Amino acid sequence: MNNVKNLNKWANAHTYFSVDLVRIAVGVFLFIKGIYFITNTQYLGDLLAPLDKADGGMFGMFIVHYIASAHFLGGILIVFGLLTRWAIIAQLPILIGAVVINFMGEMHSQNLFLSLLILGICIFFLVYGSGKHSADYFFKMQE
């Protein structure tokens, strides 16, 4: 717990508005991606087709719903800076899976680059936190 507090103190002392804009942009991107996956579940199902054959469809359908809802809700939380680290922890398996899927099936270099970029930014915010211009910081100051 002290490590998280020390990281928050360091991040709040070294926060910049541009870093918060990057956090907001990643949150908006994940939110839009979540909406896209909710409206196009067939596309997401096609991406996850190799996983679906192993168990007859139940695991694949769970994964489709997890990905869509985690991107949708996690994107909103990341935009506002509310429970940012928890929202990013929920995103990490999805983003790692997005990188792995590019190597399992047909390689899409643009999707691979985008997945790696978002994964890197999320790992940065997992360590950095939500920053000074966030709901987490606001609620912490209200205590």
Side-chain angles (χ1 to χ4, degrees), residues 5 9 11 17 27 41 55 76 111 138:
K5 286 183 181 178
K9 285 180 184 177
F17 193 66
T41 55
D55 67 346
I76 292 171
N111 290 345
F138 174 78

Side-chain angles (χ1 to χ4, degrees), residues 66-133:
Y66 171 70
I67 290 172
S69 61
H71 276 347
F72 183 76
L73 296 173
I76 292 171
L77 291 174
I78 292 169
V79 165
F80 290 112
L82 183 64
L83 302 172
T84 304
R85 287 190 173 112
W86 287 106
I88 288 175
I89 287 171
Q91 302 298 321
L92 288 180
I94 299 168
L95 295 171
I96 292 169
V99 172
V100 169
I101 281 179
N102 276 300
F103 291 108
M104 288 176 47
E106 186 178 332
M107 175 68 79
H108 295 285
S109 59
Q110 183 179 7
N111 290 345
L112 177 63
F113 175 73
L114 191 58
S115 299
L116 285 171
L117 178 69
I118 298 296
L119 178 63
I121 292 171
C122 282
I123 290 172
F124 169 76
F125 281 110
L126 183 65
V127 174
Y128 183 78
S130 56
K132 206 171 197 175
H133 305 100

Side-chain angles (χ1 to χ4, degrees), residues 41-50 64:
T41 55
Q42 184 62 38
Y43 172 73
L44 188 56
D46 292 343
L47 283 174
L48 300 171
V64 166

Side-chain angles (χ1 to χ4, degrees), residues 44-65:
L44 188 56
D46 292 343
L47 283 174
L48 300 171
L51 297 174
D52 206 25
K53 294 177 184 175
D55 67 346
M58 289 303 293
F59 182 70
M61 195 51 100
F62 171 75
I63 295 296
V64 166
H65 284 86

